[in-house]
Amino acid sequence: MRRASVRLRAALGATLVVALALVAAGFFVVSTLRGGLADTARLNAENAARGTAAQLAGAPAGSIPDLDGLDGDDPVQIVDADGKVLGASDPLKGRGPVADFARADKPDGDSGDRDSGDGDGEGDGDEVDTDSENETRTFPVDDDGEVTYDKDDITGSQEFSLAAVQGRTRAGTPVTVYAGASLGAQQEAVSTVTRSMLFGLPVLLVVVGGVTWLVTRRALRPVEGIRQEMSAITASTDLTRRVPEPDARDEVARLARTTNETLAALEGSVERQRRFVADASHELRSPIASLRTQLEVAAAHPELLDVDGAVEDTVRLQALAADLLLLARLDAGERPGQGRVSLAALVREQAGQRTGDPHPLRIASLDEGEVRGSAAQLGRVLGNLLDNGQRHAAGQVTVEVRREGETLALAVSDDGEGVPEAERERIFERFVRLDAARSRDEGGAGLGLAIARDVAERHGGTLQVDGPPEGGARFVLRLPAAGG
């Protein structure tokens, strides 16, 4: 199944996150609003009940304060301990008790003694319970939301927060004052907010999704340009082309720069590979052509067969093939072993095997020490350096091994013309020969120093050339000494 585009997934993800956040925030707002308005209604009901109880306590003995002046939206009722309604606001006149919770206790038999404190049959009358109880009750209402029990005026019902406060009349009679406060404002406010959210949420989500789509599309436009250019480069195999780099200094710009760096490295690698193949083909053509000529002459005139020349060409061809194979393994990332190799022993072994060199080999000094790596590859490095020294020396070749702190240095020097300073890096390139006038038979294929440096670097070391004061050239291989 094909996945949706990054733009679509980003837009959907942002919309989903915003939707969840808004829904959670909406529930919180509605819950907070509902609780706040309910608390307000409950407080209003308690205040009305306490105010009525205070008026009742201050009224003359045997009288009930006038409740008709109270707001019609706020039903108030006074009930004694026997459940008898002593007074009520206009909507509740003629009705029984609206509730029976928090009912006042009946007076004890000795209440008369407690209520005759002033000697004239009247109590102190100023007791109002500091506690209150609340319940939610439903009352019938008319079109204006006022409580009514007239069947002709009832149009619906409305919830009220009903508060009950206990008090006493001035005569000391315990009573319960019920007062209600409408929850209509709360319900209307909650409904209004909920409707606004239900209407505004989809609109806001559409805006968020659209903005996210546009912003993501604009942000990913350079990526699409990079993709198109990479597709064109792949189709044309033209590695000189580069992807466009945005002016911004963001992740996309860094991606473009890294892509161009990769293309440049790939172009360089392919170019080196092409040069390598061309040079290898050129180097192989000469000995093969020479060998073929000798064989053709021998076939026509057996008495003219140059066996020594044929063998020499074959040996040169074999050496070149071995060099090419080693370079291929090094390019493939072949890592050297971790054996311990003594450079001094390696020098002594090479010196004992070289018997046909044109110049004498002098061993200056051999400091003892070991390095980690491949003995065969390091022996190949030493052999290539000695071959190069013998090729360019005027009188002798000198080799030495010395310790330089945590490093072992193997130096091969000759007393020839030396290497110009401007060419001291170029000679380590493949198929490079500085003396263009000499023949390939005398100068080699130009791979020995390139192989030596590659092997040195893969052993964690370096190979450099300098010019000693006494003249000639000195090649120094430095490798980290093996720890104990």
Side-chain angles (χ1 to χ4, degrees):
M1 182 178 178
R2 185 178 179 182
R3 298 185 65 183
S5 66
V6 175
R7 292 193 299 271
L8 180 57
R9 280 182 284 161
L12 292 178
T15 303
L16 178 60
V17 170
V18 173
L20 293 176
L22 289 178
V23 169
F27 276 114
F28 177 76
V29 169
V30 170
S31 177
T32 302
L33 179 63
R34 180 184 288 113
L37 294 177
D39 290 341
T40 300
R42 185 162 50 250
L43 181 60
N44 291 337
E46 290 180 6
N47 289 338
R50 292 183 187 280
T52 302
Q55 293 179 24
L56 182 63
S63 64
I64 300 298
D66 184 14
L67 303 180
D68 292 337
L70 296 175
D71 189 353
D73 288 342
D74 297 331
V76 178
Q77 192 176 70
I78 302 173
V79 182
D80 64 9
D82 295 325
K84 179 181 178 181
V85 177
L86 302 180
S89 60
D90 185 62
L92 299 182
K93 285 184 176 180
R95 310 295 301 179
V98 296
D100 57 0
F101 66 93
R103 184 72 60 81
D105 296 331
K106 293 183 179 181
D108 297 333
D110 60 348
S111 59
D113 297 337
R114 189 186 67 176
D115 294 337
S116 58
D118 56 3
D120 59 358
E122 294 183 359
D124 52 19
D126 56 355
E127 296 184 12
V128 178
D129 195 350
T130 56
D131 295 328
S132 64
E133 296 185 25
N134 296 85
E135 288 188 3
T136 300
R137 295 296 176 96
T138 302
F139 291 92
V141 295
D142 56 17
D143 290 335
D144 296 329
E146 297 181 357
V147 177
T148 181
Y149 283 90
D150 188 342
K151 295 182 179 181
D152 296 333
D153 295 334
I154 294 176
T155 58
S157 60
Q158 178 66 58
E159 289 186 343
F160 282 73
S161 179
L162 191 64
V165 174
Q166 293 186 9
R168 290 178 181 274
T169 64
R170 192 170 183 80
T173 304
V175 296
T176 301
V177 179
Y178 295 101
S182 174
L183 295 176
Q186 173 214 33
Q187 296 172 350
E188 181 64 26
V190 170
S191 299
T192 302
V193 172
T194 302
R195 286 194 301 269
S196 300
M197 288 184 175
L198 292 177
F199 173 77
L201 180 61
V203 176
L204 183 58
L205 292 180
V206 170
V207 172
V208 170
V211 171
T212 305
W213 173 277
L214 295 177
V215 171
T216 308
R217 179 183 180 184
R218 182 179 180 84
L220 294 179
R221 187 176 300 164
V223 178
E224 178 62 20
I226 294 174
R227 187 203 64 80
Q228 292 178 355
E229 186 63 23
M230 287 295 293
S231 178
I233 292 173
T234 302
S236 66
T237 66
D238 182 8
L239 296 179
T240 61
R241 299 174 61 173
R242 297 292 182 266
V243 300
E245 295 187 12
D247 295 332
R249 303 176 66 180
D250 55 9
E251 291 82 356
V252 177
R254 291 196 292 271
L255 171 64
R257 286 192 293 271
T258 302
T259 302
N260 284 336
E261 292 171 359
T262 303
L263 289 173
L266 183 60
E267 180 187 7
S269 176
V270 171
E271 184 60 28
R272 287 193 300 271
Q273 190 71 19
R274 288 173 180 172
R275 288 199 307 268
F276 179 79
V277 172
D279 291 338
S281 301
H282 187 70
E283 293 293 336
L284 289 171
R285 184 176 60 181
S286 297
I288 292 176
S290 176
L291 185 60
R292 176 181 177 181
T293 300
Q294 294 182 57
L295 293 176
E296 289 177 347
V297 170
H301 305 282
E303 69 280 3
L304 299 179
L305 176 61
D306 183 6
V307 177
D308 294 338
V311 172
E312 184 179 350
D313 286 339
T314 302
V315 170
R316 180 166 174 258
L317 186 61
Q318 182 182 12
L320 180 58
D323 287 344
L324 294 176
L325 179 60
L326 178 56
L327 284 174
R329 293 204 307 267
L330 293 176
D331 289 342
E334 179 180 299
R335 307 299 301 176
Q338 292 299 313
R340 301 174 73 93
V341 182
S342 171
L343 294 185
L346 206 61
V347 170
R348 287 191 287 265
E349 180 183 354
Q350 286 278 341
Q353 294 176 353
R354 303 182 72 89
T355 58
D357 289 339
H359 305 291
L361 177 62
R362 185 177 73 89
I363 299 178
S365 62
L366 296 177
D367 292 348
E368 292 299 330
E370 292 180 327
V371 298
R372 291 194 178 276
S374 169
Q377 291 186 6
L378 293 176
R380 184 66 175 274
V381 172
L382 178 57
N384 288 354
L385 295 179
L386 292 175
D387 289 341
N388 182 77
Q390 292 289 342
R391 189 177 297 120
H392 298 287
Q396 72 174 2
V397 177
T398 303
V399 61
E400 63 177 331
V401 176
R402 63 181 183 275
R403 178 177 286 274
E404 298 176 350
E406 299 297 325
T407 302
L408 288 179
L410 186 154
V412 177
S413 307
D414 64 71
D415 55 358
E417 297 181 356
V419 181
E421 187 172 355
E423 303 289 347
R424 289 180 182 175
E425 283 298 318
R426 183 169 171 265
I427 60 173
F428 292 105
E429 297 179 6
R430 298 175 182 181
F431 300 104
V432 171
R433 286 180 295 267
L434 298 184
D435 188 0
R438 66 188 176 186
S439 67
R440 296 182 183 273
D441 292 336
E442 296 175 353
L447 291 176
L449 295 179
I451 292 175
R453 172 164 278 189
D454 282 351
V455 172
E457 291 177 349
R458 279 166 174 75
H459 280 74
T462 61
L463 178 60
Q464 297 175 329
V465 59
D466 57 23
E470 61 271 17
R474 179 174 61 188
F475 290 83
V476 182
L477 169 68
R478 290 184 173 86
L479 296 172

